[in-house]
């Protein structure tokens, strides 16, 4: 028995050492973090698992309530799909009023939920703010002007903000969510995001093709932070959270060094996510104040030539009878904007079984629009 135990212990120690030497030590952090804090996998309730920077609000003001709010019946078909996809909240705004506000699984309006990759679209909005504020000349500016190391990169010296916004950076990165050794898993748990991000090579000329890569957004976050000279969470608070009178404070998860996870992880109330969508619907204007320039919002919502389903980190669907744009986060987080109906839909949840169309757009987005478009 002692020999067997010694063999097992030696083998286990050697395996652990090999994992660390190979650069996968973050896996143990992931296991410990998840065992301590509930779910063993990423979830929309991950706000307590990681350090975070606060996103403070000011002069909180909620949406007006429509007379039919909540008594409005949702169809059995929609409710079944919401249950199947582990929905935790559904908010629908029509003409700047809440028509539907529902929560499941012990969630409430004040409970922040993980944006996942919806944060990419919010970061794109902050790029527009930075252009308006003069920190950046335009989205065509080279990132090497803020991160000088890219001046010596064969292809990286051509990289612009726009390449990162439109997922045309040409980086050596395979987007993969389903095994613990994938770079995305490391990105979620790694202690030093800057080190990981800057170690990824630009493998080909930017702007030549679309390839969805979360590392592009993390690099965008690094560059934006260098341009504005402050934390992204502080800038989000200053330029969006406070001016919009968000109902609740939010927070933005960071690595152990205090760098925001720009590719994901803004934890906020669904009703405040709805305000993000309403600001987009209003071309960046809020109560008569131009928060983000209208021209930038229009560019942000314009699909690229390389992928007509993708804009500046926001998805597009002009094939549906009601054209719409939407922020899309892992496991089924959506902020959907439907201009023709003056409608914003926010849905949060936890499902890895979302069917997508041939352009990789989740089919549930159209379902939500079709089922909610006539509610008043």
């Amino acid at each position: 028995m002692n020999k067997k135990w010694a063999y097992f212990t030696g083998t286990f120690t050697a395996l652990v050492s090999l994992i660390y030497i190979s650069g996968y030590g973050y896996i143990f952090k992931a296991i410990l973090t998840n065992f301590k804090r509930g779910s063993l996998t990423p979830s929309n309730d991950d706000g307590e698992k990681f350090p975070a920077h606060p996103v403070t609000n000011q002069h909180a003001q909620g949406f007006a309530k429509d007379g039919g709010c909540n008594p409005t019946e949702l169809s059995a078909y929609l409710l079944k799909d919401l249950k199947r996809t582990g929905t935790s909240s559904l908010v629908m705004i029509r003409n700047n009023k809440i028509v539907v506000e529902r929560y499941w699984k012990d969630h409430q309006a004040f409970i922040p939920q993980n944006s996942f990759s919806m944060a990419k679209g919010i970061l794109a909005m902050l790029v527009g703010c930075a252009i308006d504020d003069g920190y950046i000349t335009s989205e065509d500016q080279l990132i090497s002007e803020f991160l000088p190391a890219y001046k010596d990169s064969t292809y990286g010296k051509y990289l612009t903000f726009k390449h990162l916004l439109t997922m045309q950076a040409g980086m050596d990165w395979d987007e993969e969510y389903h095994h613990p050794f994938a770079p995305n898993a490391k990105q979620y748990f790694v202690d030093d995001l800057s080190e990981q991000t800057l170690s990824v090579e630009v493998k080909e000329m930017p702007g030549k093709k679309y390839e969805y890569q979360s590392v592009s957004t993390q690099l965008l976050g690094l560059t934006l932070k260098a341009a504005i000279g402050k934390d992204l969470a502080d800038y989000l608070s200053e330029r969006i959270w406070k001016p919009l009178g968000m109902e609740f404070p939010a927070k933005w998860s960071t690595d152990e060094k205090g760098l925001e996870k720009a590719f994901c992880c803004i934890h906020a109330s669904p009703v405040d996510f709805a305000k993000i969508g309403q600001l987009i619907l209003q071309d960046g204007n809020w109560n008569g104040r131009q928060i983000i320039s209208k021209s930038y919002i229009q560019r942000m919502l314009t699909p690229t030539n390389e992928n007509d389903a993708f804009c500046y980190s926001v998805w597009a669907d002009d094939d549906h009878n009601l054209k719409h744009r939407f922020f899309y986060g892992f496991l089924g987080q959506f902020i959907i904007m439907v201009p023709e109906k003056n409608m914003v839909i926010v849905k949060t949840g936890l499902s890895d079984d979302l069917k997508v169309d041939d352009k990789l757009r989740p089919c549930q987005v159209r379902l939500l629009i079709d089922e909610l478009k006539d509610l008043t």
Side-chain angles (χ1 to χ4, degrees):
M1 178 64 71
N2 289 338
K3 287 184 177 179
K4 287 183 178 179
W5 178 250
Y7 175 77
F8 172 79
T9 303
T11 302
F12 180 76
T13 302
L15 179 60
V16 170
S17 299
L18 180 60
I19 289 174
Y20 269 106
I21 291 170
S22 301
Y24 296 109
Y26 66 89
I27 289 175
F28 300 108
K29 177 186 177 183
I31 293 171
L32 290 172
T33 298
N34 287 323
F35 266 118
K36 286 179 183 178
R37 305 279 186 166
S39 172
L40 295 179
T41 57
S43 80
N44 60 330
D45 296 314
D46 273 357
E48 301 305 316
K49 288 184 177 181
F50 305 102
H53 286 156
V55 181
T56 56
N57 62 332
Q58 190 176 57
H59 307 308
Q61 185 174 7
F63 283 105
K65 303 278 187 179
D66 188 272
C69 180
N70 284 336
T72 301
E73 288 297 322
L74 303 179
S75 73
Y77 182 72
L78 176 58
L79 288 170
K80 181 179 179 180
D81 193 73
L82 294 174
K83 182 177 181 180
R84 179 187 67 82
T85 54
T87 299
S88 51
S89 71
L90 178 67
V91 175
M92 192 268 272
I93 310 297
R94 170 75 56 73
N95 298 325
N96 243 311
K97 293 183 179 180
I98 295 179
V99 177
V100 175
E101 183 179 6
R102 302 282 183 91
Y103 300 95
W104 293 267
K105 300 188 293 184
D106 298 322
H107 287 85
Q108 296 296 331
F110 61 84
I111 297 177
Q113 299 191 48
N114 194 345
S115 68
F116 287 108
S117 287
M118 293 197 304
K120 293 178 169 75
I122 296 173
L123 187 69
M125 295 169 72
L126 290 183
V127 170
C129 293
I131 293 170
D132 291 343
D133 291 341
Y135 292 116
I136 302 169
T137 56
S138 77
E139 57 265 47
D140 294 313
Q141 189 169 5
L142 295 170
I143 72 163
S144 61
E145 294 183 31
F146 303 99
L147 301 178
Y150 283 89
K151 290 181 179 179
D152 299 324
S153 169
T154 301
Y155 298 116
K157 63 186 177 184
Y158 300 106
L159 201 55
T160 67
F161 283 88
K162 188 173 182 178
H163 293 139
L164 299 173
L165 286 164
T166 58
M167 296 295 177
Q168 296 178 36
M171 301 185 78
D172 189 11
W173 175 278
D174 293 321
E175 192 81 1
E176 169 59 60
Y177 301 95
H178 300 295
H179 69 78
F181 296 100
N184 292 81
K186 182 175 183 178
Q187 190 179 45
Y188 199 63
F189 290 102
V190 72
D191 288 344
D192 190 340
L193 270 169
S194 180
E195 180 182 55
Q196 183 203 25
T197 302
L198 296 176
S199 70
V200 179
E201 295 289 332
V202 183
K203 66 180 180 180
E204 56 193 3
M205 183 63 74
K208 295 298 183 182
K209 69 176 184 180
Y210 166 89
E211 185 177 1
Y212 190 97
Q213 298 176 319
S214 289
V215 71
S216 293
T217 308
Q218 190 58 45
L219 180 55
L220 178 63
L222 270 173
T223 312
L224 181 60
K225 183 175 181 179
I228 63 178
K230 62 186 75 176
D231 288 333
L232 299 177
D234 288 341
Y235 198 49
L236 177 59
S237 173
E238 170 193 331
R239 293 297 271 104
I240 294 179
W241 234 252
K242 289 180 179 179
L244 267 59
M246 294 298 200
E247 286 196 61
F248 304 98
K251 59 184 177 180
W252 201 331
S253 294
T254 71
D255 66 8
E256 296 299 328
K257 293 182 178 291
L259 176 65
E260 288 90 350
K261 297 180 180 181
F263 65 95
C264 81
C265 310
I266 297 171
H267 301 266
S269 166
V271 291
D272 288 334
F273 282 136
K275 281 194 172 184
I276 295 289
Q278 190 65 40
L279 179 64
I280 294 292
L281 269 189
Q282 295 170 185
D283 291 323
N285 190 284
W286 195 263
N287 292 335
R289 176 183 172 185
Q290 200 66 40
I291 306 298
I292 309 171
S293 68
K294 181 177 180 179
S295 60
Y296 179 83
I297 293 292
Q298 291 173 341
R299 297 196 301 277
M300 179 181 166
L301 300 181
T302 301
T304 67
N305 292 330
E306 290 72 21
N307 183 355
D308 66 3
F310 202 77
C311 311
Y312 285 10
S313 302
V314 175
W315 293 77
D317 189 345
D318 290 336
D319 305 314
H320 190 256
N321 62 309
L322 287 173
K323 295 181 179 181
H324 55 275
R325 300 290 182 265
F326 62 97
F327 296 59
Y328 175 20
F330 182 54
L331 299 175
Q333 325 309 316
F334 307 125
I335 304 172
I336 307 164
M337 294 82 68
V338 188
E340 186 176 331
K341 292 290 185 176
N342 197 18
M343 178 170 71
V344 176
I345 302 168
V346 171
K347 178 258 176 184
T348 63
L350 189 64
S351 175
D352 58 1
D353 184 29
L354 290 175
K355 296 179 181 178
V356 297
D357 64 15
D358 59 350
K359 297 179 180 178
L360 301 181
R361 297 175 298 208
C363 299
Q364 190 178 49
V365 170
R366 287 190 177 192
L367 171 64
L368 289 165
I369 293 171
D370 290 342
E371 290 290 319
L372 297 176
K373 62 182 172 63
D374 294 323
L375 292 185
T376 57

